[in-house]
Amino acid sequence: MQIVIIGSGNVAYHMAKAFTLKGISIARMVGRNEKELSKISEELKVPYSTGPLEDADLYIICVSDNAVEEVSRMITKKDCLVAHTSGSLPKEILAGEYRKSSFYPLQTFSRSKELEYEKIPFFIEAENETDKETLFELASTISSNVMESNHEKRKYIHLTAVFACNFVNHLFSKAKEISDSQEIPFGYFLPLIDETVQKIHEIDPKLAQTGPAVRNDLRILQLHEQLLKDEESLEIYKTMNHSIQKMYEL
């Protein structure tokens, strides 16, 4: 099967790497950023192009959500399968007369971070059983965690991921701002972060909650609020504590 990956960002890189590590040949990577494509090509030994798309059996679109529809119009071949990797978009966003599908990897991707691809959940959707089986087989070559999911379910998967990953990472960034402001090495907090994440592998997150809000320790909450001089951080602190207290009916 001739596979073309469209894109040059983190998702495109990791999809290409996951495939090549399993011996799945990528016919070509196509995108506008020649500098990034050249780096990927040199590392993974995958040919690349910034020009017109060549014929393929499967095109995997790995671009930002707001560019998926535009990029999909570049594919004029009709007898092919096209998949996007978005968690939020329906397969119908793909604007062509080809067969439409989605191939969503549930993971946060950074170019410099190694990943265990076999642990990444993949959610697939296609217009017919044959294409569904093709994508399922392809994803199963990479991962041991492959599921079918329609767009309605996938929207909630992505929303959950934003809470569990993007928001949490933003709080890590805000925490580092506070530690940096007091010249406290952020590395001191890594064992705490690691234990917090590891704990929810064994305990329901709601049961694992600790801290002054769940204890309803008003003295400590007020002390922390006094320490926060930045209005944005203070608002986040109050909002998070209110949410915790509401969850535990305090």
Side-chain angles (χ1 to χ4, degrees), residues 66-129:
N66 59 8
V68 168
E69 183 175 2
E70 177 187 354
V71 169
S72 74
R73 295 182 187 279
M74 297 166 51
I75 304 170
T76 57
K77 184 179 179 182
K78 296 182 180 180
D79 185 22
C80 67
L81 177 61
V82 179
H84 67 62
T85 54
S86 167
S88 295
L89 298 178
K91 64 183 184 302
E92 289 77 17
I93 195 72
L94 300 170
E97 297 182 42
Y98 39 70
R99 306 187 308 280
K100 302 171 176 63
S101 63
S102 65
F103 192 78
Y104 173 49
L106 178 59
Q107 187 53 276
T108 174
F109 294 101
S110 296
R111 184 74 61 89
S112 58
K113 180 67 172 64
E114 294 284 338
L115 290 172
E116 296 180 82
Y117 298 114
E118 64 275 8
K119 293 183 179 180
I120 298 176
F122 278 81
F123 297 92
I124 60 172
E125 182 183 14
E127 293 179 333
N128 61 64
E129 287 299 320

Side-chain angles (χ1 to χ4, degrees), residues 149-160:
S149 176
N150 61 26
H151 176 233
E152 188 63 27
K153 183 72 70 175
R154 197 169 66 253
K155 285 189 297 186
Y156 284 98
I157 293 169
H158 190 240
L159 174 61
T160 304

Side-chain angles (χ1 to χ4, degrees), residues 212-214 216 221 225 234-250:
V214 76
N216 202 27
L221 293 174
E225 289 177 11
L234 178 59
E235 186 63 29
I236 292 172
Y237 186 83
K238 288 181 176 180
T239 299
M240 293 297 293
N241 283 324
H242 176 71
S243 181
I244 291 170
Q245 290 173 321
K246 186 176 180 181
M247 177 174 283
Y248 295 90
E249 299 179 347
L250 298 174

Side-chain angles (χ1 to χ4, degrees), residues 8 19-20 35 43 50 60 77 87 93 96 111-112 120 130 139 166 170 176 199 209 217:
S8 57
F19 289 144
T20 55
K35 182 179 178 180
E43 178 185 346
T50 59
I60 302 178
K77 184 179 179 182
I93 195 72
R111 184 74 61 89
S112 58
I120 298 176
T130 300
N166 305 137
H170 180 65
K176 189 174 185 299
K199 188 158 54 173
Q209 187 70 52
D217 190 334

